[in-house]
Amino acid sequence: MLFRLPGLPPLLGELYATAADLAEIAELPWEHATPDRPFPPAAAFERVIDLRDFAFDPAFRATAMIDFFLARLGLDPRGVPTAARRNTWLAPRLGIAPPARPGYVLVCPRTSTPLRSMPDPVHAHILAWLAGRGARACSQAQLPPAASLAELCALVAGARLVVSADTAMVHLADAFAVPCLALFTTHAPERRVRDYPLCRAVHRQPAGLPPALEFVRDAADIAAAQAAWGPDLDWLDAALARLWSEGA
């Protein structure tokens, strides 16, 4: 039995529904969202794994994300094959097959927090770099929001390459075996994409910010995160060139 909070965004709700064969899913009331308040139904279970507020757990910020969850489930991450740590479970459940001839490069600049999002000049630079090589770029920021999980996944599966900030699109690229350039700021790539064979990652740690910062504290945090990308984008050109040579 998996208890999750109510009121999730529709796409996230669809993701849970897609994985419904893995566990029975029930609602966790908001008043029980943190470990500060016991959840009475837990008493009916022989074993309870409490992941409420996991983002505030120092262990979550100090280890690979998949290893953290495997360990909390009672598994030794070292005993789980690398292939089983990936997102390949998703494609068969949605029945989305890669097109015979994908043609565009999907650029994903936005995330759930400005700490990780691409600055607009970086986004524009990537689009111009791709255009200069005759690539058909498709920016997620310029498209209408996906109407369903299947529509979003089809967008990723149809790409020849993905260039993304640190967001869910990186994990969907792995799910559909699309080569990806993942651009990280606050989180070290090995904590997020270590097991993704087609992902090439670059880390731009913001000066003055603590590693693995999850939430914005003030405007200075956003300014530091944006500055980490730098005015000199030679590093980005080199990363794009590597991805292009491997996946074009």
Side-chain angles (χ1 to χ4, degrees):
M1 174 73 76
L2 172 66
F3 289 91
R4 65 164 179 80
L5 291 170
L8 295 176
L11 290 185
L12 191 52
E14 286 186 55
L15 187 62
Y16 274 103
T18 303
D21 60 310
L22 301 177
E24 183 180 350
I25 300 173
E27 197 169 271
L28 175 71
W30 274 107
E31 58 266 29
H32 298 289
T34 71
D36 298 333
R37 184 169 180 176
F39 182 47
F45 296 89
E46 181 178 345
R47 183 183 178 209
V48 175
I49 300 171
D50 192 347
L51 289 172
R52 291 176 293 175
D53 273 4
F54 68 85
F56 295 95
D57 188 329
F60 178 72
R61 299 192 296 272
T63 188
M65 180 171 60
I66 185 66
D67 290 355
F68 171 83
F69 289 116
L70 287 171
R72 292 297 296 270
L73 290 171
L75 300 172
D76 182 350
R78 296 170 298 180
V80 177
T82 299
R85 300 178 197 155
R86 297 180 56 207
N87 304 307
T88 51
W89 64 273
L90 182 58
R93 284 175 168 79
L94 290 177
I96 297 174
R101 201 174 65 175
Y104 54 86
V105 178
L106 180 62
V107 182
C108 309
R110 303 289 177 258
T111 75
S112 60
T113 168
L115 287 174
R116 304 178 196 172
S117 294
M118 290 180 197
D120 290 339
V122 174
H123 179 217
H125 183 91
I126 292 171
L127 295 179
W129 191 97
L130 293 168
R133 280 142 189 86
R136 182 162 64 94
C138 176
S139 174
Q140 189 186 19
Q142 298 168 350
L143 297 173
S148 67
L149 177 65
E151 183 179 308
L152 181 65
C153 289
L155 179 66
V156 175
R160 63 194 290 187
L161 301 169
V162 168
V163 181
S164 180
D166 176 13
T167 187
M169 304 302 282
V170 173
H171 306 289
L172 290 181
D174 176 69
F176 293 95
V178 178
C180 176
L181 173 61
L183 304 170
F184 288 83
T185 51
T186 53
H187 288 74
E190 59 269 22
R191 306 278 167 81
R192 294 291 187 263
V193 298
R194 178 198 62 197
D195 303 307
Y196 299 172
L198 298 180
C199 183
R200 303 294 175 260
V202 178
H203 187 201
R204 304 290 292 182
Q205 174 64 41
L209 294 190
L213 181 66
E214 286 281 349
F215 305 106
V216 174
R217 299 170 298 181
D218 53 36
D221 286 349
I222 299 175
Q226 296 281 293
W229 297 81
D232 180 358
L233 297 178
D234 287 349
W235 64 270
L236 180 56
D237 291 345
L240 288 167
R242 284 195 299 271
L243 181 72
W244 186 258
S245 66
E246 293 176 1

